[in-house]
Amino acid sequence: MSRGPVSEVPLHGGDPSVLRRLNSVATLRALRGGGEPTLSELAKQVGLSRPTTEGVLGELVERGLVEEVPPRSGAGLGRPARRYRFRAEAGYALGMEIESHRARIFVADLDGEVVGGHSVELDVDWEPPERLAAVRAAVKTCLARAGIERSALWAVAAGTPGVIAPDGTVAICTVVPGWQGLHLARELGRSFSCPVYVENDANLATVAERWRGVAKDVDDVIYVLAQLHTGMGAIINGRLHRGRWGAAGEVGMLPELGLRDTTAALSGAMSPLDAGAGEGGGESSGGGSGGGRDAGAERVLDAAMRGDPEAVALVERLAARMARGIAAMALALDPEMIVVGGELTHTGDRLVEELRRHVRPLCLGPTRIEASTLGDEAVGLGAVRLALDQIDERLFSIETAS
Amino acid sequence: MSRGPVSEVPLHGGDPSVLRRLNSVATLRALRGGGEPTLSELAKQVGLSRPTTEGVLGELVERGLVEEVPPRSGAGLGRPARRYRFRAEAGYALGMEIESHRARIFVADLDGEVVGGHSVELDVDWEPPERLAAVRAAVKTCLARAGIERSALWAVAAGTPGVIAPDGTVAICTVVPGWQGLHLARELGRSFSCPVYVENDANLATVAERWRGVAKDVDDVIYVLAQLHTGMGAIINGRLHRGRWGAAGEVGMLPELGLRDTTAALSGAMSPLDAGAGEGGGESSGGGSGGGRDAGAERVLDAAMRGDPEAVALVERLAARMARGIAAMALALDPEMIVVGGELTHTGDRLVEELRRHVRPLCLGPTRIEASTLGDEAVGLGAVRLALDQIDERLFSIETAS
């Protein structure tokens, strides 16, 4: 359906380049939604004339964002109508998680379809140069296996523990050696020609759970990354809440809220009964620096996963302790849902059930407490989503010239 | 400057009534900004033709929102141009604070200019019917003194302690007798023909501080209403954060965070030295119900304001205790600024200084901690702002027919 010119609208001052951009963005949005519309269908959907739509499509095809697909042989007479589709393979987003003991990489097309992934173990004691070298090697392997050129990456994002400043510097971090003070976005940026973003790991897990996890389409969510260091993230009104200095969600800094020294809580309390590999499993293995993995705590988690009653009881006691910190966050924000993920949830549903039992009575509303459905992939997938959001912002911005 | 019709814009589908509304809203917005533009100036500013602008103005004048002002005698020849202004006196917003021991009413015009106010003392032990009757009488007095007809009120808002459900019911409240479970918006609504909104008192104080207080134009703010019950509110990304069930900011529910039983902390600890009016001032005067004013606590506050060293020390100790709760909220949200107001700050800058000393070291960013500049008026002014926001939403909505 073609429309004549509409009457005056005082929104853009009639700047023709802005209008062209508006038309282009609206057409791209319509195609991005999926399907393979014909020119007429597209023109109707967007509310433009056929000639305008044709011009816009020509430009989008030239930019590699759209392609003509083979016409479908219709039942009618005459030439079947040309159809168009968004080229999700025009570019890729790479998301990664960098922890003390592992790195996990995902690469996805512009539709968010994950087309490749790779994980590597990292040494907890590695300093940044070794850690970054291992991450670079993992990225290379990931891209090679997925058959994707590095130049096809349009944005890269990384999630890592700690408070991340807006410029991608690790402002505060106690769990990855040498990480604090590192300009991680710049360090990673040396390997890519596209923009690189860095974000707190729990924040990215929150984003992932809302994107394709248990919090899908929930606008007010808290995510608890329950592992040997426990972090939290929040989405408020559908937007990730980073805070003024990237430090939102750090209520665990208050010692009385039971979120600190999770490792010590597990490793110190377990009797040497289940010690297995020896090593004592004493009070302070690993030390107060919270430096990544702790052999004693690992053993408790492993034992709890095998159903060892003593270990299970320890995990449950830990949940009771953590409840204060999670409740503080929930009382501050009053979210619709709290999602619990991270390694501590590998012990099965026990931790989440215990948290429900202890956190619910402290909340003022009927907040739902759910186990993550994304498991260990949450942070990496959240990084992919962050990279895609940055790409979308450029693609759909009306201000930016293409 | 008149413009010809612009080319197609796929934003509204060309619906003429939507276009008319867009033009009307844009013109009203331009006039609302202040000044007394001529027809030509207005047409140029909004980007409409003179005839269209003239038509829109005619409609706005008819609705009582705009009026023609006497022309200024210009230097030029010929008839001076007609000028127009927004009629801020076309309607009024009424905001009130209803506490256990007082009610405070403000009335403001559509520009937010406060044109009347009135306060009354309330009996802490009153049940809702007596409390509401006193509030109604205070509203009547306020309107009469300001010379404003009740029918000229376009929106009313009230702030009160407790968790307020979205429909204006007091869901949880321990400090005002009989308040919990009351559908306060409906009860107040009996006195007004315009919409009535109810909001948590600390939330409204937050709104007021950002509107015209120390947090003006700060987008991420926490407000601490430090009084015998301490509440907190938050603005996130420039918007009041109510939470899913209106319960955001209630970290004080966790007893270990030092925000509960503020009254008891003051009244129980003071030696009878300064008791003055007798009454003992014992351990549990007022009881755990937190029921509003407490004579013992009052005495401490009064004494601290007079500079009594023992009382001052008590207030400072209280600040150290409250710091945990405020820090929990700050760590959850990572705001740019924390504003401290409420009766406890009447003791001068001491409480705020002590809070700075105790809260700052617990924050991860350089969060500013400032004393409220609105004093006792914060909640009532926030109620005015909430009512004005509701009015603006109706005035500037593109969907709503006038």
Side-chain angles (χ1 to χ4, degrees):
Chain A
M1 183 178 67
S2 166
R3 287 204 186 87
V6 300
S7 106
E8 300 168 295
V9 183
L11 290 172
H12 44 70
D15 180 335
S17 77
V18 172
L19 279 177
R20 209 158 32 232
R21 179 87 192 144
L22 272 170
N23 292 341
S24 168
V25 161
T27 305
L28 191 59
R29 245 185 228 292
L31 281 162
R32 179 67 177 271
E36 297 179 348
T38 64
L39 180 60
S40 307
E41 286 164 355
L42 201 54
K44 185 178 172 182
Q45 189 184 341
V46 180
L48 296 172
S49 69
R50 271 180 65 100
T52 303
T53 307
E54 205 158 14
V56 167
L57 279 170
E59 180 227 330
L60 291 172
V61 168
E62 205 166 289
R63 283 167 65 198
L65 290 168
V66 167
E67 72 176 5
E68 202 181 318
V69 292
R72 300 175 191 163
S73 48
L77 293 170
R79 204 159 47 107
R82 286 181 293 173
R83 293 181 175 275
Y84 296 86
R85 73 168 192 98
F86 175 67
R87 288 188 69 240
E89 70 280 18
Y92 293 89
L94 187 137
M96 58 182 125
E97 175 184 18
I98 311 177
E99 285 277 352
S100 55
H101 60 287
R102 70 166 179 227
R104 194 172 259 124
I105 326 274
F106 290 107
V107 61
D109 68 19
L110 297 182
D111 277 343
E113 193 72 42
V114 174
V115 296
H118 184 55
S119 282
V120 288
E121 298 291 311
L122 305 176
D123 192 319
V124 175
D125 298 324
W126 273 346
E127 287 297 314
E130 296 143 292
R131 190 173 303 280
L132 289 167
V135 167
R136 286 194 183 101
V139 167
K140 198 172 170 186
T141 305
C142 178
L143 290 176
R145 286 193 192 162
I148 289 165
E149 296 289 327
R150 193 173 290 259
S151 59
L153 295 178
W154 285 12
V156 169
T160 202
V163 173
I164 312 298
D167 72 345
T169 298
V170 181
I172 303 175
C173 179
T174 55
V175 297
V176 183
W179 226 227
Q180 185 162 313
L182 189 73
H183 195 319
L184 186 55
R186 191 163 57 205
E187 289 299 329
L188 292 172
R190 298 187 203 286
S191 309
F192 304 99
S193 54
C194 64
V196 175
Y197 307 91
V198 177
E199 184 53 270
N200 169 269
D201 52 1
N203 283 358
L204 290 183
T206 319
V207 167
E209 290 292 345
R210 182 164 183 270
W211 180 31
R212 47 203 293 172
V214 67
K216 205 167 172 183
D217 303 323
V218 178
D219 278 348
D220 292 278
V221 193
I222 290 172
Y223 179 92
V224 182
L225 186 63
Q227 45 197 34
L228 298 185
H229 64 278
T230 293
M232 290 195 273
I235 283 178
I236 298 174
N237 288 325
R239 283 176 58 180
L240 176 66
H241 180 67
R242 303 190 75 256
R244 182 70 172 81
W245 291 280
E250 298 291 338
V251 295
M253 297 299 290
L254 288 177
E256 55 268 70
L257 292 179
L259 294 179
R260 282 170 90 168
D261 302 321
T262 320
T263 309
L266 283 181
S267 68
M270 184 89 170
S271 76
L273 261 176
D274 195 61
E279 263 187 281
E283 280 294 324
S284 57
S285 63
S289 76
R293 309 291 276 186
D294 177 285
E298 281 284 22
R299 271 199 305 280
V300 175
L301 282 184
D302 288 348
M305 273 187 263
R306 290 194 310 269
D308 175 88
E310 192 186 354
V312 168
L314 275 174
V315 170
E316 289 175 358
R317 213 181 307 153
L318 178 67
R321 219 187 65 163
M322 290 168 63
R324 317 301 295 177
I326 297 170
M329 187 78 174
L331 286 164
L333 291 177
D334 188 23
E336 184 170 347
M337 187 188 285
I338 299 171
V339 181
V340 186
E343 285 177 318
L344 291 181
T345 61
H346 292 186
T347 53
D349 292 337
R350 282 188 209 96
L351 185 87
V352 176
E353 273 163 27
E354 282 302 298
L355 284 178
R356 262 191 209 120
R357 207 161 70 82
H358 291 284
V359 175
R360 276 251 182 81
L362 299 170
C363 292
L364 295 174
T367 305
R368 284 170 61 195
I369 302 179
E370 304 290 345
S372 161
T373 51
L374 299 176
D376 280 345
E377 303 193 335
V379 177
L381 289 177
V384 166
R385 183 66 259 172
L386 173 62
L388 285 170
D389 286 346
Q390 299 295 333
I391 292 172
D392 280 3
E393 204 166 281
R394 276 176 278 150
L395 271 186
F396 295 115
S397 158
I398 286 154
E399 286 75 37
T400 315
S402 59
Chain B
M1 184 178 65
S2 166
R3 286 206 186 87
V6 300
S7 105
E8 301 167 293
V9 183
L11 288 173
H12 44 69
D15 180 336
S17 76
V18 171
L19 280 176
R20 208 154 38 230
R21 179 87 193 147
L22 272 170
N23 292 341
S24 168
V25 162
T27 306
L28 191 60
R29 248 186 224 291
L31 282 161
R32 178 68 177 271
E36 297 179 349
T38 63
L39 180 60
S40 307
E41 286 164 355
L42 201 54
K44 184 177 171 183
Q45 189 183 341
V46 179
L48 295 172
S49 68
R50 272 180 64 101
T52 303
T53 306
E54 205 158 14
V56 167
L57 280 170
E59 180 227 331
L60 291 172
V61 168
E62 204 166 290
R63 284 168 63 196
L65 290 169
V66 167
E67 71 177 6
E68 205 180 316
V69 292
R72 301 173 191 163
S73 49
L77 293 169
R79 200 159 53 105
R82 288 180 294 174
R83 292 182 174 274
Y84 297 85
R85 73 167 191 99
F86 175 68
R87 289 187 67 239
E89 69 280 18
Y92 293 89
L94 186 136
M96 57 180 125
E97 176 184 18
I98 311 177
E99 283 277 353
S100 56
H101 59 287
R102 70 166 179 226
R104 193 170 261 125
I105 327 273
F106 291 106
V107 61
D109 68 18
L110 297 182
D111 277 344
E113 193 71 43
V114 174
V115 296
H118 184 55
S119 281
V120 288
E121 298 290 311
L122 305 176
D123 192 318
V124 175
D125 298 323
W126 273 345
E127 288 296 313
E130 295 144 292
R131 189 172 304 278
L132 288 168
V135 168
R136 287 194 182 100
V139 167
K140 199 173 170 184
T141 306
C142 179
L143 291 176
R145 286 192 193 161
I148 288 164
E149 296 289 329
R150 192 173 291 259
S151 58
L153 295 178
W154 285 12
V156 169
T160 202
V163 174
I164 312 298
D167 73 344
T169 298
V170 182
I172 303 175
C173 180
T174 54
V175 297
V176 183
W179 225 226
Q180 186 161 311
L182 190 74
H183 195 318
L184 185 55
R186 192 163 55 205
E187 289 299 328
L188 293 171
R190 299 188 202 285
S191 308
F192 303 100
S193 55
C194 64
V196 175
Y197 307 91
V198 177
E199 185 52 270
N200 168 270
D201 52 359
N203 284 357
L204 290 183
T206 319
V207 167
E209 290 292 344
R210 183 164 184 269
W211 180 32
R212 48 204 290 174
V214 68
K216 206 168 171 179
D217 303 324
V218 178
D219 278 346
D220 292 279
V221 192
I222 290 172
Y223 179 92
V224 182
L225 186 63
Q227 44 198 37
L228 298 187
H229 66 278
T230 293
M232 290 195 273
I235 283 177
I236 298 173
N237 289 324
R239 282 176 59 180
L240 176 65
H241 180 66
R242 303 190 73 256
R244 182 70 173 81
W245 291 280
E250 298 292 337
V251 296
M253 296 299 290
L254 288 177
E256 54 268 70
L257 292 179
L259 294 179
R260 282 170 91 168
D261 302 322
T262 320
T263 309
L266 284 180
S267 69
M270 185 90 171
S271 76
L273 261 176
D274 194 60
E279 262 188 282
E283 280 293 324
S284 55
S285 62
S289 77
R293 309 291 276 186
D294 176 285
E298 282 284 22
R299 272 200 306 277
V300 176
L301 282 184
D302 288 349
M305 272 187 265
R306 290 194 311 270
D308 174 88
E310 193 186 355
V312 168
L314 274 175
V315 169
E316 289 176 356
R317 213 181 308 155
L318 178 66
R321 219 189 63 161
M322 290 168 62
R324 318 300 295 175
I326 297 170
M329 186 80 173
L331 286 164
L333 291 176
D334 187 25
E336 184 169 348
M337 187 188 284
I338 299 170
V339 181
V340 186
E343 285 178 317
L344 291 181
T345 62
H346 292 187
T347 53
D349 291 336
R350 281 187 211 98
L351 185 86
V352 176
E353 274 164 26
E354 283 300 299
L355 284 179
R356 260 191 211 121
R357 208 161 67 83
H358 292 283
V359 175
R360 275 254 183 80
L362 298 171
C363 291
L364 295 174
T367 304
R368 285 170 60 196
I369 301 179
E370 303 290 345
S372 162
T373 51
L374 299 177
D376 280 344
E377 302 192 337
V379 177
L381 288 177
V384 166
R385 185 63 258 173
L386 173 62
L388 285 169
D389 285 346
Q390 299 295 332
I391 291 171
D392 279 2
E393 204 166 281
R394 275 176 280 154
L395 271 185
F396 294 117
S397 160
I398 286 153
E399 285 76 38
T400 315
S402 60

